[in-house]
Amino acid sequence: MNYQLITDTQTLNQLCQGLLKEKWLAIDTEFMRQDTFFAQLAMIQIAIPSLEVYLIDPLSIDDLDALWALLADKKVLKVFHAARQDLEVLYQHAYVMPGPIFDTQVAGVFLGLGDQAGYARLVETFCNDKINKDQARTPWLERPLLAEQLEYAAADVWYLAQAYPKILHLLTPTQRQALEADFNALTDPTLYAIEPDRAWLRIKLLSGLKPKQLGVLKQLAAWRERQAVERNQPRKWVISDDALLQLAKRPVRTVEELPKLNKLTPEIIREQGADLINQLDLTLQNPDCWPELPEPIALNTNQQTLLPVLLAISQQTASTHGIHLPNLANKQELAALILNQPSQLNQGWRHVLLGKKLQQFLQGQLHLRVDNKLAIQPRLELAAPLF
């Protein structure tokens, strides 16, 4: 495996001009995000179909405009494995969205790899090799980088460039077309936008909270998001989710009352207590801004009897393809399907593996046959829809 390290603007410009002629590029990134809100981009690796590898050092190059133009060029496909983090890091670094893309991890659902196949499994399956993980937690921001670090970074895209053509060959036209919807969703800039007013939706255990409590949580989460961005610190360094939830459930009115909440450290109370009380006051003074969680999709009695059947089919499909059930379907998505409402099951790989079958079942075009396991078989003659 040979690679070229790019450390100056002129060489990068020449490289990117040449890479515009390629049909696709395998891409990976190395970054650090241990003590910052924004990831610190440390390396961009690119491999071309002929397996030449280029390592671009963003810490040594003054002007990366040619790289951003290449990543955004619509004529060149960008191949990633588990693209979401790479896309987030690249987009938030330059606010240029790479595209079009192909994600080998997402495509793996059609090839028996499940929905969360790691890169090591990809390499073993399609390259019959094992990757060296010695540098997985290397300090990528330190310079100069050692030869073993550079070789590790180069291997990530060298193997990816070998695996991608094999994966593409195994996919059917229907599967390729379905994946386009998933890839388009991954390159939607709103997915990576920093929106303080929506930060509360990331916090778990929201169910059961009343509008007033949700209002407090929304206000505090938005304040924390702005603080984390301004300081460039992880959210939990500002204040933890547990502390925000405790404040939402037991809102106090004065700084002196804050020590009653065991999720707040003395340091947070001392340095941010006044700000927290101010945010609580703002929320309690504006009840019109208190949000409510969406009501669950309501089904009538006949429709409710279908839900366990659809869930059983979903569980069977998840087991067959090695997919985690929550990533395939949940009760709300199934209820939406029953009511012919928008659902994740109507698009992408979920539609091909499961959604289409469920729609045909609801329309009477498929029936269930129970042997030693649940199986779905086509009906020879079309029947009337259930609804």
Side-chain angles (χ1 to χ4, degrees), residues 1 22 45 55 67 91 97 158 181 186 193 229 271 283 295:
M1 175 183 60
E22 301 291 344
Q45 305 100 284
L55 306 180
L67 174 64
Y91 179 72
M97 180 58 68
W158 187 67
L186 281 170
V229 170
E271 297 181 358
T283 304
E295 290 291 332

Side-chain angles (χ1 to χ4, degrees), residues 103-115 117 122 126 167 171 179 321:
D103 189 332
T104 54
Q105 185 183 63
V106 177
V109 299
F110 289 127
L111 306 177
L113 298 182
D115 58 326
L122 183 90
F126 295 104
I167 291 172
L171 295 172
L179 287 169
H321 294 277

Side-chain angles (χ1 to χ4, degrees), residues 68-82:
W68 307 130
L70 170 65
L71 293 180
D73 192 285
K74 300 301 182 183
K75 298 186 295 295
V76 183
L77 180 71
K78 292 83 186 179
V79 180
F80 295 87
H81 182 79

